[in-house]
Amino acid sequence: MLSFENDYSRAAHPAILDALARINDNLYPGYGSDPICESAKCKIRTACGKPDADVWFLVGGTQTNQVVIDAITPAYAGVVTVSSGHPNVHEAGAIEYSGHKVLTLPHHDGKMDADELDEYCATFYADDNHEHMVFPGCVYVSISTEYGTMYTKAELERLAEVAHRYDMPLFVDGARLGYGLTATGCDVTLPELADICDVFYIGGTKVGAMFGEAVVFTKRNTPKHFLTIIKQHGALLAKGFLLGVQFDTLFTDDLYFRIARNANEQADRIRKALRDKGYTLTFDAPTNQIFITLDQSTIDRLEQHVRLGFMEKADDTHTVMRICTSWATTDEETDALIALL
Amino acid sequence: MLSFENDYSRAAHPAILDALARINDNLYPGYGSDPICESAKCKIRTACGKPDADVWFLVGGTQTNQVVIDAITPAYAGVVTVSSGHPNVHEAGAIEYSGHKVLTLPHHDGKMDADELDEYCATFYADDNHEHMVFPGCVYVSISTEYGTMYTKAELERLAEVAHRYDMPLFVDGARLGYGLTATGCDVTLPELADICDVFYIGGTKVGAMFGEAVVFTKRNTPKHFLTIIKQHGALLAKGFLLGVQFDTLFTDDLYFRIARNANEQADRIRKALRDKGYTLTFDAPTNQIFITLDQSTIDRLEQHVRLGFMEKADDTHTVMRICTSWATTDEETDALIALL
Amino acid sequence: MLSFENDYSRAAHPAILDALARINDNLYPGYGSDPICESAKCKIRTACGKPDADVWFLVGGTQTNQVVIDAITPAYAGVVTVSSGHPNVHEAGAIEYSGHKVLTLPHHDGKMDADELDEYCATFYADDNHEHMVFPGCVYVSISTEYGTMYTKAELERLAEVAHRYDMPLFVDGARLGYGLTATGCDVTLPELADICDVFYIGGTKVGAMFGEAVVFTKRNTPKHFLTIIKQHGALLAKGFLLGVQFDTLFTDDLYFRIARNANEQADRIRKALRDKGYTLTFDAPTNQIFITLDQSTIDRLEQHVRLGFMEKADDTHTVMRICTSWATTDEETDALIALL
Amino acid sequence: MLSFENDYSRAAHPAILDALARINDNLYPGYGSDPICESAKCKIRTACGKPDADVWFLVGGTQTNQVVIDAITPAYAGVVTVSSGHPNVHEAGAIEYSGHKVLTLPHHDGKMDADELDEYCATFYADDNHEHMVFPGCVYVSISTEYGTMYTKAELERLAEVAHRYDMPLFVDGARLGYGLTATGCDVTLPELADICDVFYIGGTKVGAMFGEAVVFTKRNTPKHFLTIIKQHGALLAKGFLLGVQFDTLFTDDLYFRIARNANEQADRIRKALRDKGYTLTFDAPTNQIFITLDQSTIDRLEQHVRLGFMEKADDTHTVMRICTSWATTDEETDALIALL
């Protein structure tokens, strides 16, 4: 059965399994203090155009959001996200578990608006009672967003400008960073992103790795004793070299972005077919996630042959479904899906 | 200068200071294990018509909300409130500090709608991914609400019914319980409230006491080792008898409700004057808080003579202000305010 | 029945109730932003000889320990105390509840040894794995200690020197500060203490107040947005002026230290009588707490006439009991106790 | 260079990489809801002789300790461990981060004594003030211990009996379970362990897997909504099938215990050689960790050829070092080490 259910349903890109096999007779010290991690970090720094960026490897996305947000947000403050943001909706309260409120702004196709952020903060500080409220302490956005949409470079710059004006770091969740940065029409590069934001991560789990998210602090701004903070959150992988070998592979010969681009190309083909066949796309998104609003009979017909993702009920008779391509999606799979539409 | 700024600006009802003076030569054991606390608890149980209710005394409102919500909400769950609810807005993240997300519903003049609660929960449990989300774990409402409005008995029963159907206790913040239950048109009594909800508190801080909130568990449902939980939150008063003597006084000869009623009567007079003079009341509320939307020149004029509470900007030229009466408001003060309007 | 059970069994010094009665017709703004709090803070600054000290009022001791330790200790760090320290033993885990480990050193009659602190830290930082462990983040000691003993000025200076060398603030719990600083033989004054440590508090609950602890940050080192942190912990008293009026009274005409001295003088008389009658004192302590090891028949005899505090079983037939005088202990009570011994 | 530094320095047993390669073209649903996880769970249930055991896969040891302890320990309670226990020393405060105190007993070569546990609890509950203290809420021991020692079946049964008498579950950290259960002289089997304790885990990270710990609830006692709790702690692996495939491989043809036994056999040979050559072993331990106290010149000599683990300074001139074998240690490596001794 065909599956376009999500982008984390295959173990890993074969090059990663190969690399793993190659190092399997070696012995490495633990917790990331090994030469492969160092090599991977160098390659990431180079890709970011930031020789002094500080790179850390964590295992998964919710974990990374929890650890980073907790580490960069003052105890008396919360994280500002859009209402559809992953930490607000799909992390089982991991942020609140770490003691911080998630402060929400409306989303616009999954995106945060810098003016609304500005107004939120201005209103907060203008309130005589704001010391009885939760301070906005950092800004969280994701690339790409929950709905597959992308920020422009100007939008990101504006978000950073507002965030910094209110003394907040801008944190970019890059669980799907590869798909975002290689999307048709994307006008921001990895080095530019590294310049704009204060900390971001390069998602491996959804882009070719078995698991792993590479956190990059871009401005000599790593929280003090970050390793201890990671450990305290139960997030320090004993065999850190497993993370190193995966990112070392992904950042060799541009593999990370090459395979990410594949997902977008397959998605572009599917989007074209959908439009040609008269489907209405729920969002105007250029990345590997395509949302379409379907009636139940169409869903029933499609689901006999292909697994799709459920998004939400649109109304009594329609449902928003997700078609998700991945680094591993083949032309044949895409052809087969298009034939079904 | 006249002040209708809030209901916690005077130390205490004179009867409380008298009672305090009377016991000041006595020696009591600590932490609430004293005969005055026991006497106060008995009187509260009697007032509630619940001989087996379990009564605890805490110091303040935010503290009580934090301790009770944390104690009755499973670790994996959050508390459902309306967006305007005190724990969501004005408690500096005290709930999130204790690890729980505040899950919000829209408010209707400060009130939660039982149907919306039902739909929220139904949608939650219908979502295939709900185990990745924060479970609704308890329901928080306040009497009266942040906007001075009141639930009817039927509304509370319906909220309790929905809450219980989804395995949630209903918790009523009664920081202003006295003002709520004695409001004109209120159709719920203290014993009825005790029947309907699972835990509530009788606010002393804003109704005659120096400080103190009496938490009542109504259904033999006190969380195990609640004293330890209170202590763990830093909320156990060493001289618990100070809380006892205040509530013992307030629940002697119906003092609590008598002085609460005074606030409502003064507010009723002010409301009538406001309507007579053509002011528009922001909310249709029967308790001691009156919200009015004023232009700046009216505010400037009034504030030369009376302190009011700031609520929020209504638009560029108007502001919502609060007139707040209290148990201590005198006829003369009310007359003076009305003359100013 | 006579009681030497503890020092928080009477409501308050009469001067405090008088002051309260005097202000009871006044209206004050909330949360400590009132002129009485400001007056009290001024008097405390003067008493400390620190015109720029920052003073805050909290309600109780465990609460203050939790709020201050949480606010001054990095997230990745713990608080160093002696094993007998209040936060380690008798606060129901309030420190761990706020996320910090309590790191313990052995106690010496309740006191921390600066050399042992030094060695602990040196060993910690020498450990290759220390980033996997809990950093020592602040140092907590109390004046007087759990066993009524006192630090000398030289000992405090040495503790501060070691603490600062390892980048830790020194926090002094002064729940019984009055009894400590007025003890026979005490060689440290309030201004000296304020010079030595980074933050301390002046305990009101056990020294004449109904409740209240005055936290003093001595080095322009108040944690950012400390009011919000207090509120977030549920520790911000609505009627802050109640704290202000108590400390204003206690720091007028040296009342705080005068009444504290009374407790020590009564204790000195009891100690002399105990020694004269051949009792063995468990600790050589000069403050208002006297610990004696008694056999059961003596306990039974005494407890017919006087309430004492239970400390711990010494062995199968002996028990350590506490005689605790207070600011309110009268000559007559002391005479009566001595007659019983 | 030879390395006996630890048991997590190689990626994985080749059979695991083979299994991974075999499934790499398959697509699986996320978060452990896949057929390989189900297969692995079945095999583990069978190995435990507990058809109704509930099995969960987490990534690492500290994470597992944090999640399980937090989930099974009441909010007002702590976890009882020995002072040398991993959560007390080497988890950067992960337990306290989750709000629980670590309550410590003395260790005996790394082990907890059931009588001391009993006395601790009896003393706790006998204390009049125990409601102001942290309740013992669960018991944590590890197999094998931090010093490589093992509990006998009788010792475990006695610990469980005491724990249950005080209403505490017994939790066994099995990060090195394989090495413990296959040690020479071990008299407890996996099914017996599953009978005795309430929850334990089967460590993969140190016994052949890339990563992964299989948590087994043995008595239909899984905490409610445990998946959500895992997610809330940031501990839910997106590609859960990666955990499934590893444990499925390890529990096929007894691989887990076969490779664990290899480590013990190599360690037995090294222990014999150490004793023959007159070294003194620090602990009498039968598992894969050998601790020896060495003078500096011996350390210097050895470290030219082999990496050992540092344990702690024994005195000014001696150091306790660790020789750690693993599932992957070869006869040749052991021969080479013995030749160096």
Side-chain angles (χ1 to χ4, degrees):
Chain A
M1 177 137 160
L2 213 49
S3 175
F4 283 81
E5 195 178 6
N6 63 48
D7 39 17
Y8 47 91
S9 50
R10 266 191 62 177
H13 190 279
I16 280 179
L17 296 195
D18 289 349
L20 199 55
R22 274 200 306 278
I23 67 157
N24 197 29
D25 285 335
N26 299 350
L27 300 178
Y28 294 103
Y31 308 108
S33 60
D34 62 81
I36 317 188
C37 279
E38 199 43 50
S39 167
K41 289 176 182 185
C42 279
K43 290 175 182 172
I44 288 173
R45 286 185 201 108
T46 301
C48 293
K50 286 242 170 257
D52 59 355
D54 193 23
V55 183
W56 298 78
F57 299 119
L58 280 98
V59 170
T62 295
Q63 178 186 83
T64 303
N65 288 339
Q66 186 193 56
V67 171
V68 172
I69 290 171
D70 193 26
I72 67 174
T73 309
Y76 54 80
V79 52
V80 186
T81 79
V82 288
S83 57
S84 56
H86 204 258
N88 190 46
V89 183
H90 284 113
E91 300 190 351
I95 302 304
E96 292 84 2
Y97 181 75
S98 76
H100 300 283
K101 193 178 187 69
V102 178
L103 304 163
T104 54
L105 298 179
H107 75 87
H108 304 278
D109 289 359
K111 291 161 64 179
M112 185 183 293
D113 180 86
D115 287 334
E116 289 178 359
L117 174 64
D118 197 352
E119 188 184 340
Y120 179 90
C121 296
T123 303
F124 175 84
Y125 284 103
D127 191 324
D128 279 355
N129 286 318
H130 71 267
E131 292 233 317
H132 293 240
M133 297 160 69
V134 178
F135 280 72
C138 78
V139 176
Y140 163 99
V141 297
S142 66
I143 288 183
S144 62
T145 73
E146 293 297 304
Y147 300 133
T149 52
M150 264 301 290
Y151 290 93
T152 64
K153 184 181 166 194
E155 288 170 339
L156 290 169
E157 286 173 334
R158 178 90 176 98
L159 282 169
E161 184 274 318
V162 175
H164 295 162
R165 188 143 39 82
Y166 293 102
D167 202 21
M168 295 183 286
L170 176 62
F171 169 42
V172 175
D173 168 343
R176 291 191 172 97
L177 190 73
Y179 302 132
L181 294 188
T182 61
T184 304
C186 170
D187 73 343
V188 58
T189 65
L190 183 59
E192 287 168 342
L193 177 69
D195 271 341
I196 294 168
C197 72
D198 301 280
V199 51
F200 69 100
Y201 61 98
I202 302 169
T205 301
K206 291 172 176 162
V207 190
M210 292 190 292
F211 57 88
E213 319 293 313
V215 179
V216 185
F217 289 95
T218 60
K219 293 172 183 169
R220 299 181 172 276
N221 56 342
T222 311
K224 206 172 165 182
H225 297 307
F226 192 55
L227 185 114
T228 306
I229 292 172
I230 294 172
K231 179 90 179 182
Q232 182 190 41
H233 286 73
L236 188 64
L237 192 67
K239 301 185 185 176
F241 57 86
L242 292 173
L243 290 159
V245 75
Q246 294 184 85
F247 278 97
D248 193 62
T249 303
L250 288 171
F251 279 81
T252 298
D253 296 336
D254 204 33
L255 180 64
Y256 183 76
F257 290 111
R258 281 192 286 122
I259 63 176
R261 197 169 292 116
N262 172 69
N264 289 335
E265 288 168 356
Q266 305 292 351
D268 284 345
R269 289 178 56 208
I270 296 166
R271 266 186 286 267
K272 179 170 186 312
L274 286 165
R275 289 198 179 99
D276 288 350
K277 298 184 186 211
Y279 286 85
T280 305
L281 276 62
T282 317
F283 304 105
D284 183 19
T287 64
N288 72 316
Q289 298 180 84
I290 305 166
F291 295 90
I292 40 175
T293 308
L294 302 177
D295 59 33
Q296 195 55 47
S297 69
T298 308
I299 293 174
D300 291 344
R301 178 172 61 79
L302 290 174
E303 290 200 329
Q304 291 179 344
H305 306 285
V306 59
R307 268 205 297 271
L308 301 180
F310 168 85
M311 180 69 192
E312 61 183 11
K313 280 277 166 199
D315 59 39
D316 282 358
T317 55
H318 292 79
T319 303
V320 181
M321 301 295 290
R322 185 179 73 170
I323 297 170
C324 190
T325 63
S326 88
W327 57 272
T329 304
T330 62
D331 289 344
E332 292 70 30
E333 289 166 339
T334 298
D335 290 343
L337 174 63
I338 289 173
L340 287 171
L341 294 174
Chain B
M1 176 135 162
L2 212 51
S3 175
F4 285 81
E5 195 178 5
N6 62 48
D7 38 17
Y8 47 92
S9 50
R10 267 192 61 178
H13 191 279
I16 280 179
L17 296 196
D18 290 348
L20 200 55
R22 274 200 306 278
I23 67 155
N24 197 28
D25 285 335
N26 301 350
L27 300 177
Y28 294 102
Y31 308 107
S33 59
D34 62 80
I36 318 188
C37 280
E38 199 44 49
S39 167
K41 289 176 183 186
C42 278
K43 289 175 182 171
I44 287 173
R45 285 186 202 109
T46 301
C48 292
K50 286 245 170 256
D52 59 354
D54 193 23
V55 184
W56 298 80
F57 299 120
L58 281 98
V59 170
T62 294
Q63 177 185 83
T64 303
N65 288 339
Q66 186 193 55
V67 171
V68 172
I69 289 171
D70 194 26
I72 68 174
T73 309
Y76 54 81
V79 51
V80 186
T81 80
V82 289
S83 57
S84 56
H86 204 258
N88 190 46
V89 182
H90 284 114
E91 300 190 351
I95 303 305
E96 292 83 2
Y97 181 74
S98 75
H100 300 283
K101 192 178 187 71
V102 178
L103 304 164
T104 54
L105 298 179
H107 75 86
H108 303 278
D109 289 359
K111 290 162 64 179
M112 184 182 293
D113 180 86
D115 287 335
E116 289 177 359
L117 175 63
D118 196 352
E119 188 184 340
Y120 179 88
C121 295
T123 302
F124 175 84
Y125 284 104
D127 191 324
D128 280 354
N129 285 320
H130 72 267
E131 292 233 318
H132 293 239
M133 298 161 69
V134 178
F135 280 72
C138 77
V139 176
Y140 163 100
V141 297
S142 66
I143 287 181
S144 59
T145 72
E146 293 298 302
Y147 300 132
T149 51
M150 264 300 291
Y151 291 93
T152 64
K153 184 180 166 193
E155 288 170 339
L156 290 168
E157 286 174 334
R158 178 89 175 99
L159 282 168
E161 184 273 319
V162 175
H164 295 162
R165 189 143 41 81
Y166 292 103
D167 201 20
M168 296 183 286
L170 175 62
F171 169 42
V172 175
D173 168 343
R176 292 192 171 97
L177 190 72
Y179 302 133
L181 295 187
T182 62
T184 304
C186 169
D187 73 343
V188 59
T189 65
L190 183 59
E192 287 168 342
L193 178 68
D195 271 342
I196 293 168
C197 72
D198 301 280
V199 51
F200 70 101
Y201 62 97
I202 302 169
T205 301
K206 292 172 176 163
V207 190
M210 293 190 291
F211 57 89
E213 318 294 314
V215 179
V216 185
F217 289 95
T218 61
K219 293 172 181 165
R220 300 181 170 277
N221 56 341
T222 311
K224 206 172 165 183
H225 297 307
F226 191 56
L227 185 116
T228 306
I229 292 171
I230 293 171
K231 179 91 179 180
Q232 181 190 41
H233 286 72
L236 188 65
L237 192 68
K239 300 185 184 176
F241 57 87
L242 292 173
L243 290 160
V245 75
Q246 294 184 86
F247 279 97
D248 194 61
T249 304
L250 288 171
F251 279 82
T252 298
D253 296 335
D254 204 33
L255 180 64
Y256 183 76
F257 290 111
R258 281 191 289 122
I259 63 176
R261 197 170 290 117
N262 171 68
N264 289 335
E265 288 169 356
Q266 305 292 351
D268 284 345
R269 288 179 55 211
I270 296 166
R271 267 186 286 267
K272 181 173 184 309
L274 286 165
R275 289 199 179 96
D276 288 350
K277 296 182 187 215
Y279 287 83
T280 306
L281 278 62
T282 319
F283 304 106
D284 183 21
T287 65
N288 73 316
Q289 298 180 85
I290 305 167
F291 295 91
I292 41 176
T293 308
L294 301 176
D295 59 34
Q296 195 55 46
S297 70
T298 308
I299 293 173
D300 291 344
R301 180 172 58 82
L302 289 174
E303 291 200 329
Q304 292 179 344
H305 307 285
V306 58
R307 269 206 294 274
L308 301 180
F310 167 85
M311 179 70 192
E312 61 182 13
K313 280 277 167 199
D315 58 40
D316 282 357
T317 56
H318 292 79
T319 304
V320 181
M321 300 295 289
R322 185 180 72 168
I323 298 170
C324 189
T325 63
S326 87
W327 57 273
T329 304
T330 62
D331 288 343
E332 293 69 31
E333 289 167 338
T334 298
D335 290 341
L337 174 64
I338 288 172
L340 287 170
L341 293 174
Chain C
M1 178 138 158
L2 213 51
S3 174
F4 285 80
E5 195 178 7
N6 63 47
D7 39 17
Y8 47 92
S9 49
R10 268 192 61 179
H13 190 278
I16 281 180
L17 296 196
D18 288 349
L20 199 55
R22 273 200 306 277
I23 68 156
N24 197 30
D25 285 335
N26 300 350
L27 299 177
Y28 294 102
Y31 309 108
S33 58
D34 61 82
I36 318 188
C37 280
E38 200 42 51
S39 167
K41 289 176 183 186
C42 279
K43 291 175 181 172
I44 287 173
R45 286 187 200 107
T46 302
C48 293
K50 287 242 168 255
D52 60 355
D54 193 23
V55 184
W56 298 79
F57 299 119
L58 281 99
V59 170
T62 294
Q63 177 186 83
T64 304
N65 288 339
Q66 185 192 55
V67 171
V68 172
I69 289 171
D70 194 25
I72 67 174
T73 309
Y76 55 80
V79 51
V80 186
T81 80
V82 290
S83 57
S84 56
H86 204 258
N88 190 46
V89 182
H90 285 113
E91 299 190 352
I95 303 304
E96 292 83 1
Y97 181 74
S98 75
H100 300 283
K101 192 178 187 71
V102 178
L103 304 164
T104 54
L105 297 179
H107 75 87
H108 303 277
D109 289 357
K111 291 162 64 179
M112 185 183 294
D113 180 85
D115 287 335
E116 289 177 359
L117 175 63
D118 197 352
E119 188 183 340
Y120 179 88
C121 295
T123 302
F124 175 83
Y125 284 103
D127 191 324
D128 279 354
N129 285 319
H130 71 269
E131 292 234 316
H132 293 239
M133 298 160 68
V134 178
F135 280 72
C138 78
V139 176
Y140 163 101
V141 298
S142 66
I143 287 181
S144 60
T145 71
E146 292 297 303
Y147 300 133
T149 52
M150 263 301 289
Y151 290 93
T152 64
K153 185 181 165 191
E155 287 170 339
L156 290 168
E157 287 173 334
R158 178 90 176 97
L159 282 169
E161 183 273 317
V162 175
H164 295 162
R165 188 143 40 82
Y166 293 102
D167 201 20
M168 295 183 288
L170 175 62
F171 169 41
V172 175
D173 168 344
R176 292 192 170 96
L177 190 73
Y179 302 132
L181 294 188
T182 62
T184 305
C186 170
D187 73 344
V188 59
T189 65
L190 183 59
E192 288 168 342
L193 178 68
D195 271 342
I196 294 168
C197 72
D198 302 279
V199 51
F200 71 100
Y201 61 98
I202 302 169
T205 301
K206 291 172 176 162
V207 190
M210 292 190 292
F211 57 88
E213 319 293 314
V215 178
V216 185
F217 289 95
T218 61
K219 293 171 182 165
R220 299 181 173 277
N221 56 341
T222 311
K224 206 172 165 181
H225 297 306
F226 191 55
L227 185 114
T228 307
I229 293 172
I230 294 171
K231 179 90 179 182
Q232 181 190 42
H233 286 73
L236 188 64
L237 192 68
K239 300 186 184 176
F241 58 86
L242 292 174
L243 290 159
V245 75
Q246 294 186 84
F247 278 98
D248 194 61
T249 303
L250 288 171
F251 278 82
T252 298
D253 296 336
D254 204 32
L255 180 64
Y256 182 77
F257 290 113
R258 283 191 286 120
I259 63 176
R261 197 170 290 116
N262 171 68
N264 289 335
E265 288 168 356
Q266 305 293 351
D268 284 345
R269 288 177 56 209
I270 296 166
R271 266 186 286 268
K272 179 170 187 310
L274 286 165
R275 288 199 180 97
D276 289 349
K277 297 183 186 210
Y279 287 83
T280 305
L281 276 61
T282 318
F283 304 106
D284 184 20
T287 64
N288 72 316
Q289 298 180 85
I290 305 166
F291 295 90
I292 39 176
T293 307
L294 301 176
D295 59 33
Q296 194 55 47
S297 70
T298 307
I299 294 173
D300 290 344
R301 178 172 60 80
L302 289 173
E303 290 200 330
Q304 290 179 345
H305 306 286
V306 58
R307 268 206 297 272
L308 300 180
F310 167 85
M311 180 70 192
E312 60 182 14
K313 281 277 167 198
D315 58 40
D316 282 358
T317 56
H318 291 79
T319 304
V320 181
M321 300 296 288
R322 184 179 75 169
I323 297 170
C324 189
T325 63
S326 89
W327 58 273
T329 304
T330 62
D331 289 344
E332 292 70 30
E333 288 167 338
T334 299
D335 290 342
L337 175 64
I338 289 173
L340 286 171
L341 294 173
Chain D
M1 177 140 157
L2 213 49
S3 174
F4 284 81
E5 196 179 6
N6 63 48
D7 38 17
Y8 47 91
S9 50
R10 267 191 61 177
H13 190 278
I16 281 179
L17 295 196
D18 289 350
L20 200 54
R22 273 199 306 276
I23 67 156
N24 198 29
D25 285 336
N26 301 350
L27 300 177
Y28 294 103
Y31 308 108
S33 60
D34 61 81
I36 318 187
C37 280
E38 199 44 50
S39 168
K41 289 176 182 185
C42 278
K43 290 176 181 171
I44 287 173
R45 287 186 200 108
T46 302
C48 293
K50 287 243 169 254
D52 59 355
D54 193 22
V55 184
W56 298 78
F57 299 119
L58 281 98
V59 170
T62 294
Q63 177 185 84
T64 304
N65 288 339
Q66 186 192 55
V67 171
V68 171
I69 289 170
D70 193 26
I72 68 173
T73 309
Y76 54 80
V79 52
V80 186
T81 79
V82 289
S83 57
S84 56
H86 203 259
N88 190 46
V89 182
H90 284 113
E91 300 190 352
I95 302 305
E96 292 83 2
Y97 181 76
S98 75
H100 300 283
K101 193 178 186 70
V102 178
L103 304 163
T104 54
L105 298 180
H107 75 87
H108 303 278
D109 290 358
K111 292 161 65 178
M112 184 183 292
D113 180 87
D115 287 335
E116 290 177 358
L117 175 63
D118 196 353
E119 188 183 341
Y120 179 89
C121 295
T123 303
F124 175 84
Y125 284 103
D127 191 324
D128 279 355
N129 286 319
H130 72 268
E131 292 233 317
H132 294 238
M133 298 160 69
V134 177
F135 281 72
C138 78
V139 176
Y140 163 100
V141 298
S142 67
I143 287 181
S144 59
T145 73
E146 293 297 302
Y147 300 133
T149 52
M150 265 300 291
Y151 290 94
T152 64
K153 185 181 166 192
E155 288 170 338
L156 290 169
E157 285 173 334
R158 179 89 176 99
L159 283 168
E161 184 273 318
V162 175
H164 295 162
R165 188 143 41 81
Y166 292 102
D167 202 20
M168 297 183 286
L170 175 62
F171 168 41
V172 175
D173 168 344
R176 290 192 171 97
L177 190 73
Y179 302 133
L181 295 187
T182 62
T184 304
C186 169
D187 73 343
V188 58
T189 65
L190 182 59
E192 286 168 343
L193 177 68
D195 271 341
I196 294 169
C197 72
D198 301 280
V199 51
F200 70 100
Y201 61 98
I202 302 169
T205 301
K206 291 171 177 164
V207 190
M210 292 190 291
F211 57 87
E213 319 293 313
V215 179
V216 185
F217 289 96
T218 61
K219 293 171 182 166
R220 300 180 171 277
N221 56 341
T222 311
K224 207 171 163 182
H225 297 306
F226 192 55
L227 185 116
T228 307
I229 293 172
I230 294 172
K231 180 91 180 179
Q232 182 191 41
H233 286 72
L236 188 64
L237 191 68
K239 301 186 184 176
F241 57 87
L242 293 173
L243 290 159
V245 74
Q246 294 184 83
F247 278 98
D248 193 62
T249 304
L250 288 170
F251 279 81
T252 298
D253 297 335
D254 204 33
L255 179 64
Y256 183 76
F257 289 112
R258 280 191 288 122
I259 63 177
R261 197 170 291 118
N262 171 68
N264 289 334
E265 288 169 356
Q266 304 292 350
D268 285 345
R269 287 179 56 210
I270 296 167
R271 267 186 285 266
K272 181 171 185 310
L274 286 165
R275 289 198 179 97
D276 289 350
K277 296 183 186 213
Y279 286 84
T280 306
L281 277 61
T282 319
F283 304 107
D284 183 19
T287 64
N288 72 315
Q289 297 180 85
I290 305 167
F291 295 91
I292 40 177
T293 308
L294 300 177
D295 59 32
Q296 195 55 45
S297 70
T298 307
I299 293 174
D300 291 345
R301 178 171 60 79
L302 289 174
E303 291 199 330
Q304 291 179 343
H305 306 286
V306 58
R307 269 206 296 273
L308 301 180
F310 168 84
M311 180 70 192
E312 60 183 14
K313 280 278 166 197
D315 58 40
D316 282 357
T317 55
H318 292 79
T319 303
V320 181
M321 300 295 288
R322 186 179 73 168
I323 297 170
C324 190
T325 63
S326 87
W327 58 273
T329 304
T330 62
D331 288 344
E332 291 70 30
E333 289 167 338
T334 299
D335 290 343
L337 174 64
I338 290 174
L340 287 171
L341 294 174

